[in-house]
Amino acid sequence: MGKKLNNALNASMRNPLNADRRTDRFVGIVLLAVLYIVLFLLDNFLPQTSFTLMMIPVLKKGAIYSLLCVSMNLLNGFTGLFSLGQAGFMLLGAYTYAIFSIPESQHEAVYQYFGGGAVRFSFSEAIGSVLGANAGSWLGAIIAIIIAGLVAAGFAALIGIPVLRLKSDYLAIATLGFAEIIRAVFQWEGLGVITNGSNLLRKYTSFSNMKIGSLSFATLFPFLIVTVCIALIVLLINSSYGRAFKAIRDDEVAAEAMGINLFRHKMLSFVISSFFAGVGGALLAMYQTTIQAAAFKTAMTYEILLMVVIGGIGSISGSCIAAFLYTACNEWWLRFLDSGHLGSLSVPFFRDGFRKVIFSIIIMVIVLFFSRGIMGDRELSFTGLMKRRKAKKTAQPEERGSENA
């Protein structure tokens, strides 16, 4: 028995596919470590220039949107459920995080029209009073982020019971309606003691509070949270549940014939996707430092869906790449088109809003020439890139030989 087990293990170790996965995993860990070091240096030791002042916000927002895209891709790309309720779950996560992160001393200033508000508890403040301000900020923020995801997941479970019986466009309309209802309810003055009505929530723990001693982790913190969340989603997709999701996406009738409980797996995908959307909403609240329900419009969901389509429906790495590219183009690289000049040259038609025109054209070109997105349903693979490069090199001498013949 022991020999058979050893032989099986040796065979799996000799499997080229397993070796490629181990190599990709190792390269990914090394690249992540290098990225974390660079982000830490950006926060603490590298000089603040106009370049870094533009790059750091783009990196933070790109990381947050990559998580939102991956969570939406889990539902739309891997399970085949066309949901448009992402903004609603983000709103729930953002508000939950802010409500449980505002220090008690700031409630009178924030809830000035509602008698200081009803919820006067802050995880960061409670933990900070015992372990210190820095530990309170870290642990309090992490606990509030998890609770934000759980609140979003709880609402998803409630609305999933009726709406997941629907399919295709009907499901999209139902989830879109839910997001709009949530946004309207959170602006209702009757809930002002909790949500502050149509006013801003502010003065809660943000990225700038993420410190250890004098060292800042303002840029590194969102990347750490997003990395953990995306890693969990990847593990889910590669599990038996992930294979069930893909089976439902490809053919519901065949999946049910194989013994897959359609409603249970759809509900699981919907709840998990909503959980990470809530986490993304909490991170977005930390990034913006203020939140208001009016900002979580349907356009926010469409923006995330657009990134998913650009990156490739069914590709985790495609969603991450598209999130960073979209954010960089929209927030940084194309801003010179609104300035009215190109360097020292004045250009009359470079005016406010022209950036959006060019950006829309770029998106149209991507959609037309990359109909399946940048990555399609493939993932980035270091060993795959090396193999394709080697194949091209070996193909070139053969082509030259055939030409000479």
Side-chain angles (χ1 to χ4, degrees):
M1 186 68 181
K3 290 182 178 179
K4 289 182 179 180
L5 181 60
N6 288 332
N7 292 335
L9 289 172
N10 291 331
S12 64
M13 293 292 287
R14 289 194 299 268
N15 189 339
L17 185 59
N18 290 337
D20 290 348
R21 287 175 179 171
R22 286 196 301 274
T23 303
D24 287 336
R25 196 177 297 119
F26 175 76
V27 172
I29 292 171
V30 170
L31 291 177
L32 273 177
V34 171
L35 174 63
Y36 291 162
I37 292 170
V38 171
L39 294 174
F40 179 74
L41 293 176
L42 275 174
D43 280 333
N44 296 283
F45 300 107
L46 296 181
Q48 296 293 317
T49 63
S50 58
F51 177 81
T52 58
L53 288 174
M54 288 298 298
M55 181 175 65
I56 288 174
V58 168
L59 288 173
K60 292 178 183 176
K61 193 172 182 180
I64 296 166
Y65 270 87
S66 65
L67 173 59
L68 294 169
C69 290
V70 171
S71 69
M72 192 173 198
N73 212 346
L74 171 65
L75 193 62
N76 291 29
F78 289 95
T79 316
L81 298 177
F82 188 32
S83 170
L84 293 177
Q86 208 76 350
F89 298 118
M90 290 168 59
L91 185 151
L92 287 168
Y95 266 77
T96 302
Y97 173 81
I99 289 168
F100 287 107
S101 298
I102 300 173
E104 186 177 356
S105 60
Q106 301 295 336
H107 270 254
E108 293 296 336
V110 175
Y111 291 89
Q112 55 183 326
Y113 302 110
F114 300 98
V119 181
R120 297 200 175 201
F121 177 79
S122 168
F123 284 105
S124 298
E125 191 174 47
I127 297 172
S129 62
V130 178
L131 301 178
N134 288 342
S137 296
W138 279 81
L139 295 176
I142 292 171
I143 292 171
I145 287 170
I146 294 172
I147 293 175
L150 291 175
V151 169
F155 271 85
L158 288 175
I159 70 163
I161 295 171
V163 303
L164 290 179
R165 308 287 180 182
L166 304 173
K167 294 182 180 181
S168 189
D169 299 341
Y170 300 101
L171 175 61
I173 294 169
T175 51
L176 183 63
F178 158 76
E180 289 299 304
I181 291 170
I182 286 292
R183 185 165 64 90
V185 168
F186 270 63
Q187 295 179 89
W188 177 42
E189 298 298 316
L191 282 178
V193 292
I194 299 175
T195 65
N196 208 23
S198 58
N199 305 299
L200 293 170
L201 283 181
R202 53 197 173 89
K203 297 186 181 296
Y204 49 79
T205 306
S206 64
F207 291 146
S208 60
N209 300 114
M210 297 299 111
K211 295 180 179 179
I212 296 178
S214 60
L215 298 175
S216 173
F217 291 79
T219 308
L220 184 56
F221 180 80
F223 275 84
L224 291 172
I225 300 295
V226 168
T227 301
V228 172
C229 292
I230 292 179
L232 291 174
I233 294 174
V234 170
L235 290 174
L236 174 67
I237 291 171
N238 292 329
S239 69
S240 58
Y241 289 102
R243 291 190 287 273
F245 295 159
K246 294 174 187 177
I248 293 171
R249 174 197 63 188
D250 295 337
D251 193 327
E252 287 192 9
V253 176
E256 192 171 23
M258 289 189 295
I260 295 173
N261 188 319
L262 296 183
F263 180 77
R264 186 164 68 88
H265 283 84
K266 285 181 180 180
M267 176 66 83
L268 183 64
S269 177
F270 190 57
V271 168
I272 292 174
S273 174
S274 302
F275 172 85
F276 288 111
V279 171
L283 292 174
L284 189 63
M286 295 183 74
Y287 169 76
Q288 294 178 340
T289 67
T290 62
I291 57 168
Q292 190 177 24
F296 292 84
K297 298 179 179 177
T298 307
M300 186 176 286
T301 300
Y302 294 154
E303 189 177 36
I304 298 168
L305 179 61
L306 179 60
M307 295 181 205
V308 173
V309 172
I310 291 173
I313 297 178
S315 173
I316 299 295
S317 51
S319 294
C320 296
I321 292 169
F324 280 100
L325 287 178
Y326 184 97
T327 305
C329 288
N330 194 35
E331 303 286 340
W332 184 15
W333 295 340
L334 298 181
R335 280 202 173 273
F336 71 94
L337 297 173
D338 292 346
S339 62
H341 60 272
L342 181 60
S344 59
L345 180 65
S346 177
V347 183
F349 54 84
F350 279 13
R351 59 186 68 181
D352 289 343
F354 189 67
R355 166 173 56 99
K356 297 291 185 180
V357 176
I358 300 300
F359 191 52
S360 301
I361 293 172
I362 293 172
I363 291 171
M364 289 173 61
V365 169
I366 292 174
V367 172
L368 286 173
F369 291 95
F370 296 91
S371 58
R372 298 185 62 198
I374 296 172
M375 295 296 296
D377 57 357
R378 296 174 287 107
E379 301 292 348
L380 275 179
S381 171
F382 174 76
T383 54
L385 289 172
M386 295 300 293
K387 286 178 180 179
R388 284 194 290 272
R389 187 176 178 183
K390 186 177 181 180
K392 286 181 180 179
K393 286 183 177 180
T394 55
Q396 285 176 357
E398 294 176 1
E399 291 176 358
R400 290 174 183 172
S402 61
E403 288 175 2
N404 292 334

